[in-house]
Amino acid sequence: MKKIIMPMALLIFSLSTSFGQGAVALKSKIAQKAESLEAKVVTWRRDFHQNPELGNREFKTAEKIATHLRALGIEVKTGVGKTGVVGVLKGGKPGPVVALRADMDGLPVKERVDIPFASKATGEYNGQPVSIMHACGHDTHVAILMGTAEILASMKSELKGTVKFIFQPAEEGAPEGEEGGAALMIKEGVLENPKVDAIFGLHINSQTEIGKIKYRPGGTMASSDWFKIKIKGKQSHGAYPWSSIDPIVTASQVIMGLQTIVSRNAPVTESAAVVTVGQINGGVRSNIIPEEVNMNGTIRALDTGVQDMIHARISQIATNIAESAGATAEVSITRMCPVTYNDIPLTEKMIPTLDGVAGKENVSITAAVTGAEDFAFYQQKVPGFFFFLGGAPKGKSPAQTPAHHTPDFYIDEGGFVLGMKSMASLVVDYMEMNPVGKISVGK
Ligand SMILES: [Zn+2]
Ligand SMILES: [Zn+2]
């Protein structure tokens, strides 16, 4: 994969703006301050790691964040989207509003890592007793953003705009029957008052070496939707299939039909997609052809047009195959999370900033991810850029480092300074490039 080629005019523009005098001075301050905050951020992270809380239950986490932000003189709102915390830092000079987001929730996973601050926390998830672990690294996101807030607050008078710090609950999904996550925070006005012009977010990655940053312009993480298909036929004795309309045979044909969506309809050279049937239920014993079969599945896409095409094709294939058998198909599709789409002009403008803080050789384009991330909801409303920060110990290959959401998930703390530098520098450079009244990115 080659790096995106930046048009000359854009390149000159970003060099002349992002590396202007003011920004250069601020960025050396950012670097110094980030180094000096490292120990503090590690301490915060260990505390969050040892005391993880599930989605929509991040009460203590939120309290600690709010206390810290208030101590920095940042205006704080709590209880946004259940347990969310929003901090507003008004710079000394006028300019755009830049949001930075960190997610706060842990997962129902039992930690198996041998570290002194391993989690022993337990709780309840959808009525079941569970162990809780920060098995996706959201503890590091919170600590890094608290550090970033401290850096930016220390240069408040020099900031050319406003920073909004969004600490979000329930990124991994709210408990059954509850609303939550980015969508609820947006519904409750997190992107308004003051209105956000651009948003940045990072995800620590347990399989990327510390010191490295990975990103992707455009579709970065997939949309995630659920579908249900109910095939209704006619029940009969298994020995007399001709008197049935067999929903099991029909469901099998539908499953095979669904395989043609990705293989025959999706533009595979441009944008990958996934259609998976993960559950199928029908029948009670060997010699009865049942009346109905139910299937559940997931759809992943990296482009909204492809996502819509898949939805339409699932309905068309299921309905028409069922009809050809004399059966009926009821299809329902639930949109869960949109495509995490990095605004292309914004991404192109901000990459020099990341090159500057990490070193050009450490910033690279990554393959798209078919997992989902609810940062996507913000990007539907405002131009946004989401990137991956290395969290794997130096010299370890991805094959040697446990994946996210597993009991052995482990993050090396050596990448936090780069995380803070990246977030704070993105803010300062964005403000420099978009002086008040002249916001040029993504509009
Ligand atoms: Zn996760
Ligand atoms: Zn995550």
Side-chain angles (χ1 to χ4, degrees):
M1 187 75 60
K2 271 201 291 190
K3 224 170 158 169
I4 42 168
I5 296 162
M6 196 181 280
M8 209 46 180
L10 189 59
L11 183 67
I12 291 163
F13 173 75
S14 50
L15 284 176
S16 62
T17 52
S18 70
F19 302 110
Q21 281 300 314
V24 170
L26 279 185
K27 281 201 284 185
S28 88
K29 258 193 198 174
I30 288 172
Q32 276 173 14
K33 189 88 184 156
E35 303 282 353
S36 76
L37 282 171
E38 185 176 21
K40 218 167 156 181
V41 170
V42 166
T43 306
W44 289 330
R45 183 268 166 154
R46 291 184 180 186
D47 177 39
F48 291 127
H49 191 85
Q50 202 162 13
N51 299 289
E53 296 174 290
L54 290 170
N56 280 358
R57 307 285 183 272
E58 305 91 336
F59 305 111
K60 287 189 183 129
T61 307
E63 219 176 278
K64 290 170 192 167
I65 296 166
T67 304
H68 174 65
L69 297 182
R70 284 195 188 108
L72 295 173
I74 292 173
E75 227 175 84
V76 177
K77 228 190 203 175
T78 55
V80 184
K82 310 260 186 199
T83 58
V85 181
V86 182
V88 175
L89 175 69
K90 286 194 187 103
K93 296 166 187 170
V97 180
V98 187
L100 299 177
R101 176 273 212 165
D103 39 10
M104 311 188 287
D105 51 329
L107 283 161
V109 173
K110 191 170 167 49
E111 177 149 20
R112 208 156 52 190
V113 188
D114 186 18
I115 41 172
F117 53 96
S119 165
K120 293 184 179 68
T122 55
E124 199 186 278
Y125 182 67
N126 291 341
Q128 300 276 337
V130 291
S131 294
I132 310 173
M133 176 189 177
H134 266 296
C136 202
H138 298 182
D139 50 339
T140 71
H141 303 167
V142 172
I144 289 170
L145 193 55
M146 282 168 68
T148 308
E150 190 156 340
I151 295 171
L152 292 169
S154 77
M155 48 186 67
K156 178 181 158 94
S157 61
E158 293 146 281
L159 287 180
K160 296 176 180 170
T162 297
V163 194
K164 201 179 252 192
F165 301 95
I166 301 177
F167 291 88
Q168 182 209 300
E171 189 285 323
E172 304 282 3
E176 264 170 32
E178 293 180 28
E179 280 186 274
L184 184 61
M185 286 194 96
I186 294 167
K187 199 164 134 186
E188 296 188 3
V190 75
L191 295 176
E192 304 299 322
N193 195 27
K195 199 169 164 31
V196 170
D197 294 300
I199 185 163
F200 301 108
L202 62 76
H203 207 301
I204 198 98
N205 188 269
S206 70
Q207 299 182 305
T208 299
E209 204 176 65
I210 54 164
K212 309 243 183 240
I213 286 176
K214 291 188 171 174
Y215 74 99
R216 191 171 179 80
T220 297
M221 295 182 76
S223 59
S224 166
D225 304 317
W226 291 357
F227 65 89
K228 285 179 192 288
I229 303 176
K230 183 194 283 286
I231 306 287
K232 257 193 152 161
K234 186 174 164 236
Q235 186 155 335
S236 85
H237 194 298
Y240 313 107
W242 53 87
S243 50
S244 77
I245 294 173
D246 187 344
I248 289 187
V249 170
T250 308
S252 311
Q253 289 177 310
V254 169
I255 292 170
M256 295 316 291
L258 297 180
Q259 305 311 306
T260 64
I261 301 174
V262 172
S263 72
R264 291 298 173 270
N265 304 132
V268 288
T269 58
E270 288 159 32
S271 178
V274 173
V275 177
T276 291
V277 176
Q279 190 180 18
I280 172 161
N281 294 310
V284 286
R285 59 180 272 154
S286 60
N287 64 349
I288 298 174
I289 292 172
E291 188 170 273
E292 64 180 52
V293 168
N294 290 287
M295 303 185 255
N296 291 322
T298 188
I299 306 161
R300 305 296 165 115
L302 290 153
D303 174 277
T304 309
V306 173
Q307 181 189 8
D308 293 342
M309 177 278 288
I310 294 172
H311 289 197
R313 288 291 290 148
I314 287 177
S315 294
Q316 200 177 23
I317 288 169
T319 310
N320 289 307
I321 288 179
E323 195 190 337
S324 74
T328 58
E330 273 170 41
V331 180
S332 73
I333 300 177
T334 311
R335 286 178 187 261
M336 306 294 290
C337 188
V339 179
T340 303
Y341 187 87
N342 280 336
D343 183 83
I344 290 173
L346 179 67
T347 304
E348 285 178 351
K349 279 197 175 180
M350 301 324 296
I351 289 309
T353 300
L354 296 183
D355 285 346
V357 290
K360 220 175 165 57
E361 67 285 2
N362 292 316
V363 180
S364 59
I365 292 185
T366 184
V369 177
T370 49
E373 160 61 57
D374 86 348
F375 188 79
F377 285 104
Y378 304 110
Q379 291 172 311
Q380 277 190 324
K381 303 280 178 193
V382 295
F385 174 59
F386 190 75
F387 61 97
F388 304 100
L389 177 71
K394 266 212 173 352
K396 290 243 169 148
S397 73
Q400 297 169 296
T401 51
H404 290 237
H405 293 207
T406 67
D408 301 310
F409 174 76
Y410 174 77
I411 291 298
D412 186 304
E413 292 162 337
F416 297 175
V417 168
L418 180 58
M420 285 186 273
K421 282 186 196 168
S422 305
M423 292 293 249
S425 302
L426 286 170
V427 169
V428 165
D429 281 350
Y430 181 88
M431 287 177 174
E432 197 71 27
M433 284 181 223
N434 296 278
V436 68
K438 283 193 188 161
I439 291 164
S440 59
V441 171
K443 298 274 155 160

